[in-house]
Amino acid sequence: MSSSNTTGSSPLTFILTGIPSLPMSSYWVAWPLCCLYVLMLLGNCTLLWMIRTDHSLHTPMYYFLSMLAAADLGLSLSTLPTMLAIFWFESTSLRFEACIVQMYFIHSFSAIESGVLVAMAFDRFVAICYPLRYTSVLTSSLITKAGGAIVLRGVCVVLPVAILIKKMPFCRSRILSHSFCLHQDMLRVVCGDVRVNSLYGLMAVILTKGLDILAILLSYTMIIRAILSIVSQEARAKAFSTCISHLCAVLIFYIPLISLSIIHRFGKHLPPLTHTLLADAYLLVPPVLNPLVYSWKTKRIRRRILVLLCPRGTRQRV
């Protein structure tokens, strides 16, 4: 078999998959999918607009929240073209170059979001364990540098993944398992030795998601110790309540991610629908739920939304 990434004179293309056992033109799937994307766009854009325009929200916690919203937007918009193409227009083919670009952006924004969650955990750690030093530690300069480092890490760590897979020959069936391109899925259809790609992909996951999970666990270990040392039950509950939104965001992001990684390695016997639903949950659920969670659990944001929706008489009731 030829090891070229072209078939004759035609460019290499991949075939994406919708939801197994469902016809491509399933409008009852396409409509909810569009609603999810609209909800995601509205939620995250509203958060970004509120944080930008409301000077009372110009604090470290909300700057990190705006980074999370931006990462969520990037993650969702990376999957939007192929998801809608499949379910609205029954278009399943995707050029090799476009697939690599989509894969790169999905994994980069995923790594960026993971880094932002670590920064938010550090923010909560300083706020609870060192409240008097909060403003002196989390300065605007530190937040800017942290944001730059998070983006740079996401961009640089994933770049070799795209470069390595671009050099690989694809000469088997080029049918992918999802409605978008993921690194693990593309490796399945490589006709060649993928050990280097797999090893670097594993290293990239460990250097991003693995270290981030450890950092978040360490932060919350110290946060819990600090909360338990508070004598007042009311003050203890208030301190813990400031972490609820971030804990929800962490669980929403990491549970589908860890489940998908486990299934990719050990769940090959499971039906394709399980793989598809977990991959969709990993990429679609956090960007939709994060704005809802923060709007519901964060008093300042909830008050701001209520003022926008019901400007008269809201201030007295909130």
Side-chain angles (χ1 to χ4, degrees):
M1 272 195 178
S2 170
S3 63
S4 172
N5 280 342
T6 58
T7 305
S9 59
S10 60
L12 176 68
T13 59
F14 290 102
I15 305 300
L16 302 176
T17 305
I19 297 178
S21 76
L22 288 178
M24 284 297 174
S25 57
S26 297
Y27 289 111
W28 68 273
V29 174
W31 276 109
L33 188 64
C34 283
C35 290
L36 279 179
Y37 276 111
V38 169
L39 190 61
M40 176 277 302
L41 287 169
L42 283 175
N44 288 289
C45 288
T46 301
L47 275 182
L48 287 170
W49 177 78
M50 283 194 302
I51 293 168
R52 179 180 174 82
T53 57
D54 190 341
H55 290 284
S56 70
L57 300 179
H58 290 184
T59 63
M61 174 183 170
Y62 295 103
Y63 287 141
F64 288 131
L65 179 56
S66 66
M67 293 181 201
L68 183 67
D72 279 335
L73 279 171
L75 194 59
S76 293
L77 292 175
S78 299
T79 63
L80 177 66
T82 52
M83 293 281 277
L84 294 187
I86 288 172
F87 291 107
W88 276 117
F89 307 108
E90 301 179 44
S91 174
T92 58
S93 62
L94 188 67
R95 290 276 294 270
F96 174 67
E97 293 79 7
C99 195
I100 285 185
V101 169
Q102 185 183 49
M103 178 209 73
Y104 175 75
F105 279 114
I106 287 174
H107 290 295
S108 290
F109 279 114
S110 178
I112 289 169
E113 179 155 350
S114 182
V116 172
L117 290 172
V118 174
M120 296 176 85
F122 179 71
D123 168 80
R124 292 298 85 203
F125 162 70
V126 176
I128 291 172
C129 298
Y130 302 99
L132 299 179
R133 297 175 57 189
Y134 182 73
T135 53
S136 62
V137 172
L138 288 169
T139 60
S140 298
S141 173
L142 179 65
I143 293 168
T144 303
K145 289 175 183 175
I150 289 167
V151 172
L152 189 64
R153 185 191 69 160
V155 168
C156 294
V157 169
V158 180
L159 187 59
V161 173
I163 293 171
L164 285 170
I165 204 164
K166 194 175 190 305
K167 299 177 183 296
M168 300 302 291
F170 294 86
C171 42
R172 297 178 186 171
S173 170
R174 294 187 291 272
I175 301 175
L176 301 181
S177 306
H178 305 296
S179 307
F180 33 78
C181 299
L182 294 177
H183 181 243
Q184 307 95 312
D185 204 20
M186 292 178 72
L187 285 183
R188 286 192 313 101
V189 294
V190 168
C191 181
D193 189 356
V194 298
R195 283 179 294 181
V196 173
N197 300 65
S198 295
L199 182 60
Y200 183 79
L202 180 62
M203 285 177 56
V205 170
I206 292 171
L207 289 172
T208 53
K209 298 359 182 319
L211 291 178
D212 291 348
I213 290 173
L214 289 177
I216 291 171
L217 287 174
L218 179 61
S219 295
Y220 272 98
T221 300
M222 301 177 76
I223 286 170
I224 290 169
R225 285 179 59 187
I227 289 174
L228 292 177
S229 67
I230 298 173
V231 176
S232 168
Q233 190 76 22
E234 185 180 348
R236 191 183 299 177
K238 186 177 179 181
F240 184 72
S241 68
T242 64
C243 301
I244 293 294
S245 299
H246 179 254
L247 277 173
C248 289
V250 168
L251 294 175
I252 289 166
F253 180 78
Y254 282 110
I255 287 177
L257 172 63
I258 294 170
S259 302
L260 183 63
S261 299
I262 291 171
I263 280 182
H264 263 299
R265 282 162 177 76
F266 307 110
K268 301 191 190 306
H269 61 285
L270 293 173
L273 182 61
T274 305
H275 292 255
T276 300
L277 292 179
L278 268 178
D280 290 350
Y282 158 52
L283 294 175
L284 295 178
V285 170
V288 173
L289 289 188
N290 282 339
L292 297 177
V293 168
Y294 273 92
S295 300
W296 174 47
K297 295 299 296 180
T298 308
K299 189 175 180 180
R300 281 191 188 179
I301 293 177
R302 189 169 67 247
R303 182 189 295 122
R304 180 77 168 136
I305 291 173
L306 289 174
V307 168
L308 289 172
L309 295 175
C310 311
R312 292 183 180 179
T314 306
R315 295 183 187 274
Q316 288 79 13
R317 294 194 300 270
V318 176

